[in-house]
Amino acid sequence: MTDKAPGHPRVAVRRPQRADARRNFDALLQAARQAFAEHGTDASLEDIARRAGVGIGTLYRNFPTRQDLFDSVYVGEVEELCRAADELAGLPPWEALVAWLRRFVGYIGTKRALYESLNRDSDMIRSCREALYAAGEPLLARAQETGYARSDIGFDDLLRMIAGITGIGYADDAQRERVLGVALDGLRARPSGG
């Protein structure tokens, strides 16, 4: 499930070769992501197939077991985060980091929904973690090197902070956004002497 890209490891979901089969595969992943976020890992596979606009046979051809679907959804989320880091790298350092962290918030939601179903000691999870760090660490480093982000925080610290903030319950999305904004403001570098 891992292929190498220049500069850092990558993870990738193995998609079918034919365009129509790829569309079905991607629709199933998207539908599963939504269903797992709404109903947890007990979400109905029939509901996932219906949401994707395909038959249950198509789901099973692509994902012979429920675990295959869990793993593919998880790897797909990590793959999207890695791709986002590459796409955002051209933005100014602070904007790139904050935009990536906001996408990371969505990943945390999916990871929590699948957490009990993932083998956290597997090579796949280790590869995903390596790819995630390889993609995101340079964004923090660039924000730190240019003086936009505090230099006394590591990438692991940052991810744990964001995961902790997004993991608790809020009255509504606006409250979660305010709390996340305060945390991100705390990440900003402060001018010395002021």
Side-chain angles (χ1 to χ4, degrees), residues 43-95:
S44 158
L45 295 181
E46 289 80 8
D47 178 51
I48 291 169
R50 188 175 66 340
R51 288 178 189 222
V54 301
I56 192 71
T58 300
L59 184 144
Y60 281 116
R61 262 191 310 283
N62 284 284
F63 309 102
T65 69
R66 186 177 279 268
Q67 189 64 51
D68 291 330
L69 185 57
F70 294 154
D71 291 350
S72 293
V73 167
Y74 180 73
V75 170
E77 287 286 299
V78 173
E79 182 183 30
E80 285 182 20
L81 271 172
C82 292
R83 191 172 31 255
D86 291 341
E87 292 167 1
L88 296 168
L91 293 176
W94 180 254
E95 289 176 38

Coordinates of all heavy atoms in Angstrom, one line a residue, residues 43-95:
A43 N -22.1 0.8 10.5 CA -22.9 1.3 9.4 C -23.2 0.1 8.4 O -22.4 -0.8 8.2 CB -22.1 2.4 8.7
S44 N -24.4 0.1 7.9 CA -24.8 -0.9 7.0 C -24.1 -0.9 5.7 O -24.0 0.2 5.0 CB -26.3 -0.7 6.8 OG -26.7 -1.3 5.6
L45 N -23.6 -2.0 5.3 CA -22.9 -2.1 4.0 C -23.9 -1.9 2.8 O -23.5 -1.3 1.8 CB -22.2 -3.4 3.8 CG -21.0 -3.7 4.8 CD1 -20.4 -5.0 4.5 CD2 -20.0 -2.6 4.7
E46 N -25.1 -2.3 3.0 CA -26.2 -2.1 2.0 C -26.4 -0.6 1.9 O -26.6 -0.1 0.7 CB -27.5 -2.8 2.4 CG -27.4 -4.3 2.2 CD -26.7 -5.0 3.4 OE1 -26.4 -4.3 4.4 OE2 -26.4 -6.2 3.3
D47 N -26.4 0.2 3.0 CA -26.6 1.6 2.9 C -25.4 2.3 2.2 O -25.6 3.2 1.4 CB -26.7 2.2 4.4 CG -26.9 3.7 4.4 OD1 -27.8 4.2 3.6 OD2 -26.1 4.3 5.1
I48 N -24.2 1.8 2.5 CA -23.0 2.4 1.8 C -23.1 2.2 0.3 O -22.9 3.1 -0.5 CB -21.8 1.8 2.4 CG1 -21.6 2.2 3.8 CG2 -20.5 2.1 1.5 CD1 -20.5 1.5 4.6
A49 N -23.5 1.0 -0.1 CA -23.7 0.7 -1.5 C -24.7 1.6 -2.2 O -24.5 2.2 -3.2 CB -24.0 -0.8 -1.8
R50 N -25.9 1.7 -1.5 CA -27.0 2.6 -2.0 C -26.5 4.0 -2.1 O -26.8 4.7 -3.1 CB -28.2 2.5 -1.0 CG -29.4 3.2 -1.6 CD -30.7 3.0 -0.7 NE -30.9 3.5 0.6 CZ -30.1 3.9 1.6 NH1 -28.9 3.9 1.5 NH2 -30.4 4.3 2.7
R51 N -25.8 4.5 -1.1 CA -25.3 5.9 -1.1 C -24.4 6.1 -2.3 O -24.3 7.2 -2.9 CB -24.5 6.3 0.2 CG -25.4 6.5 1.4 CD -24.5 6.7 2.6 NE -25.1 6.7 3.8 CZ -24.9 7.6 4.8 NH1 -24.0 8.6 4.6 NH2 -25.6 7.6 5.9
A52 N -23.6 5.1 -2.6 CA -22.6 5.2 -3.7 C -23.3 5.0 -5.1 O -22.6 5.2 -6.1 CB -21.5 4.2 -3.5
G53 N -24.5 4.6 -5.1 CA -25.2 4.4 -6.3 C -24.8 3.1 -7.0 O -24.9 3.0 -8.3
V54 N -24.4 2.1 -6.2 CA -24.0 0.8 -6.8 C -24.7 -0.3 -6.1 O -25.2 -0.1 -5.0 CB -22.4 0.6 -6.8 CG1 -21.7 1.7 -7.5 CG2 -21.9 0.5 -5.3
G55 N -24.6 -1.5 -6.6 CA -25.1 -2.7 -6.0 C -24.2 -3.2 -4.9 O -23.0 -3.0 -4.9
I56 N -24.7 -4.1 -4.0 CA -23.9 -4.6 -2.9 C -22.8 -5.5 -3.5 O -21.7 -5.6 -3.0 CB -24.8 -5.4 -1.9 CG1 -24.0 -5.8 -0.6 CG2 -25.4 -6.6 -2.5 CD1 -23.7 -4.6 0.2
G57 N -23.1 -6.2 -4.7 CA -22.0 -7.0 -5.3 C -20.8 -6.2 -5.7 O -19.7 -6.7 -5.6
T58 N -21.0 -4.9 -6.2 CA -19.9 -4.1 -6.5 C -19.1 -3.7 -5.3 O -17.9 -3.7 -5.3 CB -20.4 -2.8 -7.2 OG1 -21.1 -3.2 -8.4 CG2 -19.3 -1.8 -7.6
L59 N -19.8 -3.5 -4.2 CA -19.1 -3.2 -2.9 C -18.2 -4.4 -2.6 O -17.0 -4.2 -2.3 CB -20.1 -2.9 -1.8 CG -19.4 -2.5 -0.5 CD1 -20.3 -1.5 0.3 CD2 -19.2 -3.7 0.5
Y60 N -18.8 -5.6 -2.6 CA -18.0 -6.8 -2.2 C -16.9 -7.1 -3.2 O -15.8 -7.7 -2.8 CB -18.9 -8.0 -2.0 CG -19.6 -8.0 -0.7 CD1 -21.0 -7.9 -0.6 CD2 -18.9 -8.0 0.5 CE1 -21.6 -7.8 0.6 CE2 -19.5 -8.0 1.8 CZ -20.9 -7.9 1.8 OH -21.5 -7.8 3.0
R61 N -17.1 -6.8 -4.5 CA -16.0 -7.0 -5.4 C -14.8 -6.1 -5.1 O -13.6 -6.5 -5.2 CB -16.4 -6.7 -6.9 CG -16.8 -7.9 -7.6 CD -17.0 -7.6 -9.1 NE -17.9 -6.5 -9.4 CZ -19.2 -6.5 -9.4 NH1 -19.9 -7.6 -9.0 NH2 -19.9 -5.4 -9.7
N62 N -15.1 -4.9 -4.7 CA -14.0 -4.0 -4.3 C -13.4 -4.2 -2.9 O -12.2 -3.9 -2.7 CB -14.5 -2.5 -4.5 CG -14.6 -2.1 -5.9 OD1 -13.6 -1.8 -6.5 ND2 -15.8 -2.1 -6.4
F63 N -14.3 -4.6 -2.0 CA -13.9 -4.7 -0.6 C -14.5 -6.0 -0.1 O -15.6 -6.0 0.5 CB -14.5 -3.5 0.2 CG -14.1 -2.2 -0.4 CD1 -15.0 -1.4 -1.1 CD2 -12.8 -1.7 -0.2 CE1 -14.7 -0.2 -1.6 CE2 -12.5 -0.5 -0.8 CZ -13.4 0.3 -1.5
P64 N -13.8 -7.1 -0.3 CA -14.3 -8.4 0.1 C -14.7 -8.6 1.6 O -15.6 -9.3 1.9 CB -13.2 -9.4 -0.2 CG -12.4 -8.7 -1.3 CD -12.5 -7.2 -0.9
T65 N -14.1 -7.8 2.4 CA -14.4 -7.9 3.9 C -14.7 -6.4 4.4 O -14.2 -5.5 3.8 CB -13.3 -8.5 4.7 OG1 -12.2 -7.6 4.7 CG2 -12.9 -9.9 4.2
R66 N -15.4 -6.4 5.5 CA -15.6 -5.1 6.1 C -14.3 -4.4 6.5 O -14.1 -3.2 6.4 CB -16.5 -5.3 7.3 CG -17.0 -4.0 8.0 CD -17.9 -4.3 9.2 NE -19.3 -4.5 8.7 CZ -20.2 -3.6 8.7 NH1 -19.9 -2.4 9.0 NH2 -21.4 -3.9 8.3
Q67 N -13.3 -5.3 6.9 CA -12.0 -4.7 7.3 C -11.3 -4.1 6.1 O -10.6 -3.1 6.3 CB -11.1 -5.9 7.9 CG -9.8 -5.4 8.5 CD -10.1 -4.5 9.7 OE1 -10.8 -4.8 10.6 NE2 -9.5 -3.3 9.7
D68 N -11.4 -4.7 4.9 CA -10.9 -4.1 3.7 C -11.4 -2.7 3.5 O -10.7 -1.8 3.1 CB -11.1 -5.0 2.5 CG -10.4 -6.3 2.5 OD1 -9.3 -6.4 3.1 OD2 -11.0 -7.3 1.9
L69 N -12.7 -2.6 3.7 CA -13.3 -1.2 3.6 C -12.8 -0.3 4.6 O -12.4 0.9 4.3 CB -14.8 -1.4 3.6 CG -15.7 -0.1 3.4 CD1 -15.3 0.5 2.0 CD2 -17.2 -0.4 3.5
F70 N -12.7 -0.7 5.9 CA -12.2 0.2 6.9 C -10.8 0.6 6.6 O -10.4 1.8 6.6 CB -12.1 -0.6 8.3 CG -13.4 -1.0 8.9 CD1 -13.4 -2.1 9.8 CD2 -14.5 -0.3 8.6 CE1 -14.6 -2.5 10.3 CE2 -15.7 -0.7 9.2 CZ -15.8 -1.8 10.1
D71 N -9.9 -0.3 6.2 CA -8.5 0.0 5.9 C -8.4 1.0 4.7 O -7.7 1.9 4.7 CB -7.7 -1.3 5.6 CG -7.5 -2.1 6.8 OD1 -7.8 -1.7 8.0 OD2 -7.1 -3.3 6.7
S72 N -9.2 0.7 3.7 CA -9.2 1.6 2.5 C -9.7 3.0 2.8 O -9.1 4.0 2.3 CB -10.0 1.0 1.3 OG -9.4 -0.2 0.9
V73 N -10.7 3.1 3.6 CA -11.2 4.5 4.0 C -10.1 5.2 4.7 O -9.8 6.4 4.5 CB -12.5 4.4 4.8 CG1 -12.8 5.7 5.5 CG2 -13.6 3.9 3.9
Y74 N -9.5 4.5 5.7 CA -8.4 5.1 6.5 C -7.2 5.6 5.6 O -6.8 6.7 5.7 CB -8.0 4.2 7.6 CG -6.9 4.8 8.4 CD1 -7.2 5.8 9.3 CD2 -5.6 4.4 8.3 CE1 -6.2 6.4 10.1 CE2 -4.6 5.0 9.1 CZ -4.9 6.0 9.9 OH -3.9 6.6 10.7
V75 N -6.7 4.6 4.8 CA -5.6 5.0 3.9 C -6.0 6.1 2.9 O -5.2 7.0 2.7 CB -5.1 3.7 3.1 CG1 -4.1 4.1 2.0 CG2 -4.5 2.7 4.1
G76 N -7.2 6.1 2.4 CA -7.7 7.2 1.6 C -7.6 8.5 2.2 O -7.3 9.5 1.6
E77 N -8.0 8.6 3.5 CA -7.9 9.8 4.3 C -6.5 10.3 4.4 O -6.2 11.5 4.2 CB -8.5 9.6 5.7 CG -10.0 9.5 5.7 CD -10.7 10.8 5.5 OE1 -10.5 11.8 6.2 OE2 -11.4 10.9 4.5
V78 N -5.6 9.4 4.7 CA -4.2 9.8 4.8 C -3.6 10.2 3.5 O -2.9 11.2 3.4 CB -3.3 8.6 5.4 CG1 -1.8 8.9 5.4 CG2 -3.8 8.3 6.8
E79 N -4.0 9.5 2.4 CA -3.6 9.9 1.1 C -4.0 11.3 0.7 O -3.3 12.1 0.2 CB -4.2 8.8 0.1 CG -3.9 9.0 -1.3 CD -4.6 8.0 -2.2 OE1 -5.7 7.6 -1.9 OE2 -4.0 7.7 -3.3
E80 N -5.3 11.6 1.1 CA -5.8 13.0 0.8 C -5.0 14.0 1.6 O -4.8 15.1 1.1 CB -7.3 13.1 1.1 CG -8.1 12.4 0.1 CD -9.6 12.5 0.4 OE1 -10.0 13.4 1.1 OE2 -10.4 11.7 -0.2
L81 N -4.7 13.7 2.9 CA -3.9 14.7 3.7 C -2.5 14.9 3.1 O -2.0 16.0 3.0 CB -3.7 14.2 5.1 CG -4.8 14.6 6.1 CD1 -4.6 13.9 7.4 CD2 -4.8 16.1 6.3
C82 N -1.9 13.9 2.6 CA -0.6 14.0 1.9 C -0.7 14.8 0.6 O 0.1 15.7 0.4 CB 0.0 12.6 1.6 SG 0.4 11.7 3.1
R83 N -1.7 14.6 -0.1 CA -1.9 15.3 -1.4 C -2.2 16.8 -1.0 O -1.7 17.7 -1.7 CB -3.1 14.7 -2.2 CG -3.2 15.3 -3.6 CD -4.2 14.5 -4.4 NE -5.4 13.9 -3.8 CZ -5.5 12.6 -3.6 NH1 -4.6 11.8 -3.9 NH2 -6.6 12.2 -3.0
A84 N -3.0 17.0 0.0 CA -3.3 18.4 0.4 C -2.0 19.1 0.8 O -1.8 20.3 0.5 CB -4.3 18.4 1.6
A85 N -1.1 18.5 1.5 CA 0.2 19.1 1.9 C 0.9 19.6 0.7 O 1.5 20.7 0.7 CB 1.0 18.2 2.8
D86 N 1.0 18.7 -0.3 CA 1.7 19.1 -1.6 C 1.0 20.3 -2.2 O 1.6 21.2 -2.7 CB 1.7 17.9 -2.6 CG 2.6 16.8 -2.1 OD1 3.5 17.1 -1.2 OD2 2.5 15.7 -2.6
E87 N -0.4 20.3 -2.3 CA -1.1 21.3 -2.9 C -1.0 22.7 -2.2 O -1.0 23.7 -2.8 CB -2.6 20.9 -3.0 CG -2.9 19.8 -4.0 CD -4.3 19.2 -3.8 OE1 -5.1 19.7 -3.0 OE2 -4.5 18.2 -4.6
L88 N -0.9 22.6 -0.9 CA -0.9 23.8 -0.1 C 0.5 24.4 0.1 O 0.6 25.5 0.5 CB -1.5 23.5 1.3 CG -2.9 23.1 1.4 CD1 -3.3 22.6 2.7 CD2 -3.8 24.3 1.0
A89 N 1.5 23.7 -0.3 CA 2.9 24.1 -0.1 C 3.2 25.4 -0.8 O 4.1 26.1 -0.3 CB 3.9 23.0 -0.5
G90 N 2.5 25.8 -1.8 CA 2.7 27.0 -2.5 C 2.1 28.2 -1.8 O 2.5 29.4 -2.2
L91 N 1.3 28.0 -0.8 CA 0.7 29.2 -0.1 C 1.8 29.8 0.8 O 2.7 29.1 1.2 CB -0.5 28.7 0.7 CG -1.7 28.3 -0.1 CD1 -2.8 27.7 0.9 CD2 -2.3 29.4 -0.9
P92 N 1.5 31.0 1.3 CA 2.4 31.5 2.4 C 2.4 30.5 3.5 O 1.4 29.8 3.8 CB 1.7 32.8 2.8 CG 1.0 33.2 1.5 CD 0.5 31.9 0.9
P93 N 3.6 30.5 4.3 CA 3.8 29.4 5.3 C 2.7 29.3 6.3 O 2.2 28.2 6.6 CB 5.1 29.9 5.9 CG 5.8 30.6 4.9 CD 4.7 31.3 4.1
W94 N 2.2 30.4 6.9 CA 1.2 30.3 7.9 C -0.1 29.8 7.3 O -0.8 28.9 7.9 CB 1.0 31.6 8.6 CG -0.1 31.5 9.7 CD1 -1.3 32.1 9.7 CD2 0.0 30.8 11.0 NE1 -2.0 31.8 10.8 CE2 -1.2 31.0 11.6 CE3 1.0 30.1 11.6 CZ2 -1.5 30.5 12.9 CZ3 0.8 29.6 12.8 CH2 -0.5 29.8 13.5
E95 N -0.5 30.3 6.2 CA -1.8 29.9 5.5 C -1.7 28.4 5.2 O -2.7 27.7 5.3 CB -2.0 30.7 4.3 CG -2.4 32.2 4.5 CD -2.5 33.0 3.2 OE1 -3.0 32.4 2.2 OE2 -2.1 34.1 3.2

